[in-house]
């Protein structure tokens, strides 16, 4: 169960720390990694990291998706490290030098995860941003290209959608692959476009799953976590892990 817990990342997308802490208390038997995003961080500041750790979270994932010049990224990584963060996201589009500085600042302590492409961007957005040609028509190729940079500089892992995970895991087996947009079969997709079930995502090569609303909106979040464990187990068994 300990190992399975580490595979589930629960986003603490709540407006107050009080609410976030209640969810940590409730889910800590099932979830190993709690994710603090912009919503909570901007509202409550870095004390949220401390409080969530104190509440018993195994690991804290600070999802700030840093995108700035190398020196600024480096200083932000050092601060995150001093607050005891375990995982931190940096946009790969911030460039190779920013990623290298992030890794240098992390000194092998906290794990740096490269964000490939926001799943909210569609083809029209990418065209508007200046992406064209083949990269525009096959977003997997763009995600591959970005992952290649993350791999080359030594990032610990990347974040990508379920659509690309198989290609990425096959090409970069040692990178930690984090996949959001996880849905259980009978659910709606909400605003997620490229979704997969826990079973499908793990089978395709995901190492960690970001699961928010399927747990949060479930009539029984604990039962949903058990179901996710069952799916992860089934996929791992079929893969002979
Ligand atoms: O499972 P659910 O859709 O509720 O998860 C939402 C969470 O997933 C948010 O914290 C959001 O930041 C994160 N997410 C992400 N990358 C994406 C899409 C969503 O990290 N491409």
């Amino acid at each position: 169960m300990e190992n399975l817990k580490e595979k589930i990342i629960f986003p603490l997308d709540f407006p107050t720390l009080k609410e976030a802490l209640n969810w940590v208390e409730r889910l800590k038997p099932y979830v190993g990694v709690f994710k603090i995003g912009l919503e909570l961080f901007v509202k409550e500041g870095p004390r949220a990291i401390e409080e969530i750790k104190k509440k018993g979270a195994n690991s804290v994932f600070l999802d700030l998706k840093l995108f700035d010049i190398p020196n600024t990224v480096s200083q932000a990584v050092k601060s995150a490290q001093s607050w005891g963060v375990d995982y931190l996201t940096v946009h790969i589009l911030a460039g190779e030098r920013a990623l290298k500085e992030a890794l240098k600042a992390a000194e092998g302590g906290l794990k740096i995860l490269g964000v490939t492409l926001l799943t909210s961007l569609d083809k029209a957005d990418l065209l508007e941003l200046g992406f064209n040609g083949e990269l525009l028509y096959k977003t997997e190729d763009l995600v591959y290209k970005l992952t290649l940079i993350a791999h080359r500089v030594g990032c610990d892992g990347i974040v990508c959608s379920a659509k690309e995970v198989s290609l990425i895991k096959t090409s970069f087996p040692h990178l930690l692959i984090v996949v959001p947009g996880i849905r259980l079969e009978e659910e709606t997709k909400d605003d997620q476009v490229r979704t997969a079930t826990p079973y499908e995502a793990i089978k395709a090569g995901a190492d960690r799953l970001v699961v928010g609303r399927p747990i949060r909106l479930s009539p029984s979040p604990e039962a949903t976590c058990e179901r996710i464990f069952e799916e992860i187990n089934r996929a791992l068994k079929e893969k002979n892990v």
Side-chain angles (χ1 to χ4, degrees):
M1 176 120 155
E2 269 319 294
N3 281 347
L4 286 182
K5 263 173 68 170
E6 284 303 311
K7 295 205 172 284
I8 303 184
I9 300 172
F10 182 73
L12 293 165
D13 295 330
F14 301 103
T16 66
L17 182 55
K18 189 167 178 280
E19 222 178 318
L21 290 173
N22 287 342
W23 278 94
V24 174
E25 181 66 32
R26 181 168 187 179
L27 292 179
K28 66 186 182 190
Y30 303 92
V31 171
V33 188
F34 288 89
K35 182 166 94 70
I36 302 174
L38 285 172
E39 181 181 358
L40 187 62
F41 192 76
V42 173
K43 180 85 195 299
E44 303 282 1
R47 79 185 178 105
I49 301 164
E50 259 185 342
E51 295 293 325
I52 286 161
K53 286 225 143 180
K54 246 196 264 164
K55 202 63 172 176
N58 276 6
S59 307
V60 169
F61 180 135
L62 188 59
D63 189 17
L64 296 186
K65 299 187 175 72
L66 301 177
F67 195 151
D68 215 315
I69 59 169
N71 185 54
T72 305
V73 169
S74 167
Q75 298 306 330
V77 172
K78 283 181 194 157
S79 295
Q81 177 104 296
S82 74
W83 284 99
V85 167
D86 302 281
Y87 301 87
L88 178 66
T89 46
V90 179
H91 270 285
I92 301 171
L93 284 167
E96 196 166 317
R97 273 185 295 135
L99 291 170
K100 277 186 180 156
E101 286 300 315
L103 287 159
K104 207 155 74 177
E107 288 173 337
L110 71 83
K111 290 193 186 335
I112 300 291
L113 305 176
V115 176
T116 54
L117 203 57
L118 293 177
T119 47
S120 51
L121 297 174
D122 62 17
K123 288 204 162 106
D125 295 317
L126 291 171
L127 186 63
E128 174 86 5
L129 288 168
F131 293 97
N132 52 36
E134 281 186 21
L135 288 181
L136 178 64
Y137 293 102
K138 228 176 146 212
T139 41
E140 284 102 324
D141 290 346
L142 183 49
V143 171
Y144 178 90
K145 204 169 154 61
L146 292 167
T147 305
L148 192 59
I149 297 170
H151 177 256
R152 191 166 62 221
V153 301
C155 282
D156 299 283
I158 60 113
V159 183
C160 71
S161 90
K163 191 170 165 232
E164 301 99 25
V165 65
S166 173
L167 168 71
I168 299 298
K169 193 64 185 180
T170 312
S171 315
F172 308 98
H174 300 300
L175 280 183
L176 189 83
I177 315 283
V178 175
V179 177
I182 301 300
R183 292 293 176 268
L184 303 178
E185 275 120 339
E186 73 270 21
E187 285 171 336
T188 57
K189 293 184 169 190
D190 304 306
D191 58 353
Q192 298 281 19
V193 196
R194 288 169 267 171
T195 63
T197 63
Y199 169 81
E200 288 164 344
I202 295 287
K203 194 80 196 284
D207 298 296
R208 302 279 187 278
L209 309 176
V210 179
V211 197
R213 281 163 288 185
I215 295 176
R216 204 172 73 215
L217 303 179
S218 164
S220 170
E222 293 81 2
T224 299
C225 289
E226 296 280 7
R227 175 160 169 207
I228 295 169
F229 285 161
E230 183 277 318
E231 288 201 27
I232 295 175
N233 254 332
R234 188 153 47 90
L236 290 175
K237 266 195 202 124
E238 286 178 24
K239 287 171 61 166
N240 284 326
V241 178

